[in-house]
Structure formats: C-alpha cells, structure tokens
Amino acid sequence: MGLLSDPNRRRALISLLTRLNAPICALCYFAAVCWFMGLAFEPFTLRTYMSENAMGSTMVEERFPSGERALATGKEFAAHKKKVGGMPVDWLVKTMQARGLEVFTQSFSRTLPFPDENKERYIVKGTNVYGILRAPRAPRTEALVLSAPCSPGDNNNQAVGLLLGLAHYFRSQVFWAKDIIFLVNEHDLIGMQAWLESYHHTNTTGMDWSPLQGRGGSIQAALSLELSSDVITSLDIILEGLNGQLPNLDLANLFYAFCQKIGVLCTIQGRLQRNDWDSVSGYSHAVQTMMLMVMKQASGRPWGDHGLFLRYHIEAATVKGINSFRQYKTDVTTVGRLLEGMFRKLNNLLERLHQSYFFYLMPSLSHFVSIGYYMPAFGLLAVILLLRALDLWVQLVSPPAIAADGVGDIAQQSSPGVLSVLTPLVISHLTGAALYILPTRFQEIAVEHFPVSETEAVVLTAIAVYTAGLALPHNTHRLLSGEGTEQGWRVLKLVAVLYLAVLLGCTALINFSLGFILALTLVPVAAFVTPHVPKTLSAVVLVILSPAFTLLFSVFFFQELEEMPVSFQDGWLLYLSVISQGILDHYLYGSLVYPLIALMVYPCWLLFWNILFWK
C-alpha cells in the first residue's frame, strides 16, 4: 500500500509500466507460443497410468471366438440393408431377439433448418433398434452401451455384425453386473441424439421422437464402433466430443492397455506412436498429433457418435478400425476380444469414472498433457490483456500535461460521454445478433431472388452480414455524441480489453483449444490497435486476425496436418462447407461455437475495429 500511496513511488511505477509495457507484452506472447510448442516434447509430458483401481489390471481372459460368424452376420445385414434401401429394422429385431435380448425400436424425425448438402438430406426420418442384455447378478441400476451406426452404402456393416456377435457371446456369460445395451442407430448423430434425449427424458433440440419402451440402468460408459473392413491394420480411438468435451482419461488408458496386451496396433488421430522422441522428426510427429487434437476440439463438433454421450456425463469414445497399407493385419476376432476385455473391466466399476483427468491433450496414447501443464500457455496470453488494461487505466487516471502557461489540456481533461462508449458496444452486439439470426431466417428470401440453394443462401448471408459489419460500426461513437475525445477511445479500449480477457478466460476453461486459438489471433489485435497507427496497414492486419480469417487459416492448416493439402479453390469450398456445418451443428446438437463467435467474439473484435477508426 505504501508503494501506491507515496506519490513519488507511484509516479515511478507508472513510468515503468508505460515504458516497458510493450516489451513485456511481446515477451509474454513469445513465451506463450514456446510453452505451447514445448508441450509435445516427451520429457515435459506425463506418462499415462490407470487411476481407477477397479480397472487397474488387464488380467481377464478374453475368449470371444466368433469373428467369422460376425463377418457373416455383417454380410447378411448388408444384403438386407441394400434390399430395403435403408435400415433393415425387422431383420435387426428378429436377429437380436434370437440372441436372447429384450428388443425395442424408436422412431424419430427431424426437419433441418436448411438442407445438409454434405449428406444430401433435409427431412430426416429413421428408426433406432436396440436390445438390452439384463444383468443377471445385480439389481439392474447401471448400464453400459455398445453402439454401431447404420451408415449408408457398404460402410460399417462389419461393425453391426460384430455388435450382434458380441451380443450373442455376452448372453452366454453370467458375470455381468450391469445391463448392456446394444444399439444400432440410423442417420448417425441425429439418431443417436434422438435416442439419448428419449432415454434421459430431455428435448433440447426440438426433435420429434417416440418414447422408449424399454430402458436399462443409469449409463456408466459407452463405446461406439466403426468398422468397415474384414481385416484392419490398426484401431484408432476418437475422444473429441460436443463443444470440446473429452471423456475421462482412464477410458483412453483402458483402450491402450488392452491394445498392448492383445498386440493390436493402436493410434490416436490416425497416427502411430513413435519412440524417437529425441529426434526432430519424432518431436514433429508428436506436435502434429497434438495439434490435430487441438483443431478437432476447437471445432466444437462431435467427431463420432460417442460425442453426444458426454453431454449427459457418460464417459464414451469411438473405436474405429483402419485398413491401410501396413503389413500388420488384425482380424475381427481380435477386435471382439479387445472389446470384450474393455467391457469386462467397465463391468467392474463401482462408481462412474472420475479419478483421472477430464482436461488434457494427447501427443500420443502413452503420454498426455494435463490442464496444469497447458494452462500457463493461455495464462501468458491473458497477462498481455491485463497489462494493456493496466496501462490504459494508468493513462486515464494520470493528470494531464501542464502547458508552459500553466493551463492544462482542456480536451484531455474532458471526460468521455456515456453514449460515446455505449453506442459502439450496442451496435457491435446488434451486428453480432444479426449474424446469428439472419442467415437461417432469410434463406427463403435469398433463394427467391438469387440463383442459389438454401445452404448457399445461409452461408452467403452469413458472409454478407459479417462483411457489412466492417462498415457499419465506423465511428459509431459520433452517432449520438458528436466528436470523440482522446479519453473516449481509451475508455472504450479498456472496456474491450477487459471484455476480451473475461471472454477468452471463460472459453478456455470450457474448451481450451478454442480459447487458445482465439487468443493467439485476438490478443495481438487488442495489444496494438489505437487510432494513431497507420490506418490502411492496421486495417489489413485486423482483417487477417479476425475470426473469419482465423477459421479460413484453420481449414488449410487442418488439411496440412491431415496430410491432405488442398488448392485455394478447394480450400475455399471446404471453408464454406465448414461454415454451413457449424451452423447445422448448433441447431441439431447444440454446439456452442457458432453462437459464441457470432454473439461475443465478433462483436468484441468490432470494438477494436471501431477504435482503429476513432475520430
């Protein structure tokens, strides 16, 4: 307190903060990037370990013998699917009943807000079929789920066959302490969303579905199976769920432990683990694997049917079979034994998985980065915003310079009016509300007046509103209050910087990857923008660091990480597809990325755009 109350010391502190603010901010930004890039270096990561005692050992004997029979069932399923042109409901019901399950069906329908051109659907109607194996040695208060989506064409037929084979084998075992639900869902995520909403008596998306006639206990864990080949070279585990949620790390550890025991090649993000971590290529491989997880998590979309379970606090993952050009081959019997082992360990759980991490990044299946390791990278970026806010506050409360005649600068002393700060805030957020509402509301009008489809109308309307926002908030502080003051833009920037700090902090706590990517681009904007910098160059930099261009760069960067680079034209079409899919994900499943960008991030960026053109 003495430092702040002593005028001489206070002036020295103000001088120090003003003089070194820019170098400290630059150092923090550089340190944040270096810290994040260092997370993939193996000595800086933690080795995975099983935290749940009930799953601490893989000493169970897997005996599933019916791989060939499962493949035959899958071929039969494919034939009936082709015959009826969709989900063979009657055949599935008879087959599950023949295996001793309690079988039920659920019908559902959903009209999309606009057509999904990627999957060529608008009005979706389907039926889910599920069978319940009741626990013979417990009061049936808990359940596990094994699901396989009924995909179009020849996709995932082997997964359904293996699911039915496991149902037949599990029925002959007597040690199950939990109900096991075998679910075949139609229309992938939409069918899974309908089933989960009905199972938990909720309706958050406005979907029409029939009530479930049969239920198991409280679902403790779930696995979704994707298998489209008779033989596979590796098994990939998919963890990223809705809004960046991740399952408990013990579920991934369990998968890795059984892969190691049975001798199956396992991957994450489709990449095998490398042992040469001390080489440049090994470190680059780990960085790319971690960055793929960051990009997928930041998208906020569920990357498998498991992603919707996480909303209901059900630990879930998708196991995907990959058939590549590797010489190592694994048959369906081995995959069945791996799933049997995982379900037997999950069957031993006395409570929900909770002892391991829920917030983590994985550069490989054997190592992970916990929240305590990656949060300092974001914290260093947040420090920049706090330092800039402190610098602005010091400038606002500092006494004005005294002229030679002893008269202070009157313009500097005049306080900014409330409207000069409130007007840009209101108009920027109204622009964000228009970006959120208008694309889906005006699609019919756009289709009537322009030669575009409904999906193109939605995307182009979103781009038009976004672009119009660049012109709309110009000098909005002068709309009602006349000329702006030098103090006015500082007050507005102080509000914008603090707003951005709170916004990014809350986002990073929920979805670190999204918060960190936004911070990388928005923090430099908040740090350097003033009305006194060169307008043209600064405007170009602001546009490049805007949310829309961040998404565009992310599309190309993700394709590079996937080792599938695209041309600019193909990348642009993919960019438009990502926008439409993001809007659809919000209306269909409740993804929060689109409303977050439209209602908060974009208006906040517009405030800095307004500061640049302050007069």
Side-chain angles (χ1 to χ4, degrees):
M1 291 301 294
L3 179 64
L4 297 178
S5 59
D6 185 358
N8 295 325
R9 293 181 178 180
R10 185 170 64 246
R11 280 194 294 269
L13 179 60
I14 292 172
S15 176
L16 181 65
L17 289 175
T18 304
R19 227 173 342 106
L20 298 181
N21 194 277
I24 293 175
C25 290
L27 181 62
C28 287
Y29 191 87
F30 179 75
V33 174
C34 292
W35 187 291
F36 181 78
M37 297 302 294
L39 293 176
F41 191 49
E42 188 168 308
F44 297 159
T45 61
L46 299 173
R47 181 172 290 276
T48 56
Y49 58 93
M50 198 74 71
S51 299
E52 180 61 56
N53 293 328
M55 301 194 307
S57 172
T58 57
M59 293 180 63
V60 295
E61 185 177 356
E62 304 83 17
R63 298 178 179 178
F64 176 72
S66 308
E68 293 300 324
R69 183 177 178 181
L71 289 178
T73 306
K75 292 177 181 178
E76 189 178 353
F77 169 77
H80 283 82
K81 183 172 70 171
K82 184 177 181 180
K83 180 179 179 180
V84 301
M87 183 90 144
V89 176
D90 295 336
W91 180 85
L92 277 172
V93 169
K94 293 178 181 178
T95 305
M96 286 187 175
Q97 287 175 343
R99 283 154 173 75
L101 305 180
E102 297 180 16
V103 186
F104 306 93
T105 62
Q106 179 207 25
S107 59
F108 61 90
S109 63
R110 180 71 159 96
T111 301
L112 307 187
F114 56 91
D116 183 359
E117 293 187 351
N118 291 338
K119 298 182 178 179
E120 298 180 351
R121 59 188 184 184
Y122 180 51
I123 300 176
V124 179
K125 294 182 179 180
T127 305
N128 295 322
V129 180
Y130 64 101
I132 304 176
L133 173 61
R134 297 296 182 182
R137 305 176 67 88
R140 304 176 181 179
T141 58
E142 297 177 343
L144 303 173
V145 174
L146 177 62
S147 71
C150 176
S151 304
D154 295 330
N155 296 323
N156 224 43
N157 295 329
Q158 289 83 352
V160 175
L162 181 55
L163 177 142
L164 296 173
L166 286 170
H168 181 265
Y169 174 72
F170 285 0
R171 182 70 179 83
S172 62
Q173 309 301 316
V174 297
F175 44 67
W176 299 113
K178 295 176 172 59
D179 294 342
I180 301 180
I181 302 174
F182 298 90
L183 169 64
V184 181
N185 56 297
E186 193 174 7
H187 298 299
D188 48 74
L189 288 168
I190 295 180
M192 183 61 74
Q193 178 76 9
W195 190 84
L196 284 170
E197 286 187 352
S198 183
Y199 196 93
H200 294 92
H201 301 285
T202 61
N203 194 332
T204 59
T205 59
M207 187 183 303
D208 295 326
W209 37 257
S210 61
L212 297 183
Q213 300 301 314
R215 283 184 174 80
S218 173
I219 301 176
Q220 305 295 298
L223 289 177
S224 179
L225 183 60
E226 295 182 7
L227 197 62
S228 301
S229 176
D230 292 352
V231 293
I232 62 170
T233 53
S234 62
L235 284 176
D236 188 63
I237 185 168
I238 304 173
L239 303 173
E240 298 83 11
L242 183 67
N243 295 321
Q245 286 183 278
L246 298 172
N248 190 272
L249 185 58
D250 271 345
L251 192 61
N253 296 340
L254 182 65
F255 169 79
Y256 179 65
F258 273 100
C259 286
Q260 293 295 102
K261 176 187 176 182
I262 297 176
V264 178
L265 287 179
C266 54
T267 62
I268 186 170
Q269 314 302 337
R271 293 170 175 263
L272 285 172
Q273 180 176 323
R274 295 179 55 160
N275 296 322
D276 56 339
W277 57 266
D278 53 347
S279 66
V280 175
S281 59
Y283 169 72
S284 175
H285 181 84
V287 169
Q288 292 175 23
T289 305
M290 185 180 71
M291 287 304 301
L292 275 170
M293 184 172 186
V294 168
M295 299 299 292
K296 289 182 178 181
Q297 187 183 14
S299 70
R301 60 170 306 192
W303 287 82
D305 286 354
H306 76 281
L308 300 178
F309 282 90
L310 301 174
R311 168 188 286 169
Y312 300 94
H313 306 288
I314 300 169
E315 309 312 314
T318 294
V319 177
K320 182 178 181 179
I322 298 176
N323 187 12
S324 64
F325 296 102
R326 299 188 183 101
Q327 295 181 353
Y328 184 89
K329 301 293 183 181
T330 300
D331 58 10
V332 174
T333 301
T334 306
V335 179
R337 289 176 179 173
L338 183 140
L339 293 173
E340 177 197 355
M342 292 184 67
F343 268 82
R344 288 187 63 176
K345 298 306 290 186
L346 292 171
N347 182 63
N348 294 337
L349 286 177
L350 300 177
E351 52 190 345
R352 292 181 182 271
L353 291 173
H354 69 282
Q355 295 193 26
S356 193
Y357 294 88
F358 289 93
F359 300 94
Y360 53 87
L361 299 175
M362 298 193 76
S364 69
L365 272 174
S366 63
H367 289 80
F368 73 101
V369 181
S370 71
I371 185 173
Y373 281 44
Y374 64 65
M375 261 307 182
F378 177 82
L380 288 168
L381 296 176
V383 165
I384 298 175
L385 297 176
L386 298 180
L387 287 174
R388 295 306 296 163
L390 183 60
D391 183 50
L392 288 167
W393 176 256
V394 168
Q395 294 178 34
L396 287 170
V397 299
S398 297
I402 304 299
D405 56 0
V407 180
D409 188 355
I410 301 300
Q412 190 78 356
Q413 293 185 46
S414 60
S415 300
V418 175
L419 290 179
S420 66
V421 178
L422 188 61
T423 305
L425 282 170
V426 173
I427 293 182
S428 296
H429 283 81
L430 288 177
T431 307
L435 178 60
Y436 176 72
I437 296 172
L438 296 185
T440 54
R441 297 291 179 89
F442 280 12
Q443 57 174 312
E444 296 180 359
I445 300 176
V447 170
E448 290 178 0
H449 293 82
F450 300 97
V452 294
S453 65
E454 289 89 343
T455 305
E456 292 172 337
V458 170
V459 175
L460 294 178
T461 302
I463 294 177
V465 174
Y466 187 96
T467 306
L470 302 182
L472 180 63
H474 270 198
N475 303 313
T476 51
H477 60 282
R478 302 172 62 186
L479 186 63
L480 299 175
S481 57
E483 293 292 332
T485 64
E486 187 71 14
Q487 294 282 67
W489 73 262
R490 289 196 175 98
V491 173
L492 179 59
K493 184 173 180 180
L494 177 62
V495 172
V497 167
L498 293 176
Y499 177 23
L500 181 61
V502 174
L503 175 61
L504 293 179
C506 295
T507 303
L509 288 176
I510 300 172
N511 187 340
F512 165 79
S513 299
L514 179 59
F516 186 76
I517 290 175
L518 290 174
L520 282 177
T521 56
L522 293 178
V523 166
V525 170
F528 84 85
V529 65
T530 69
H532 308 303
V533 294
K535 292 289 188 294
T536 304
L537 178 61
S538 300
V540 171
V541 173
L542 250 71
V543 170
I544 291 176
L545 296 177
S546 66
F549 272 77
T550 301
L551 176 60
L552 179 62
F553 297 147
S554 298
V555 168
F556 284 95
F557 184 55
F558 181 77
Q559 292 300 120
E560 290 291 337
L561 291 175
E562 289 275 5
E563 298 179 353
M564 293 186 297
V566 294
S567 63
F568 180 79
Q569 182 178 2
D570 293 338
W572 176 255
L573 295 177
L574 186 59
Y575 172 67
L576 299 180
S577 175
V578 168
I579 295 176
S580 65
Q581 198 62 47
I583 299 175
L584 266 179
D585 287 344
H586 169 60
Y587 286 103
L588 290 180
Y589 316 120
S591 172
L592 298 177
V593 174
Y594 174 59
L596 175 71
I597 299 297
L599 298 176
M600 294 186 178
V601 176
Y602 179 59
C604 186
W605 179 87
L606 282 180
L607 293 178
F608 296 108
W609 180 261
N610 191 76
I611 291 169
L612 177 63
F613 294 97
W614 186 277
K615 291 183 181 179

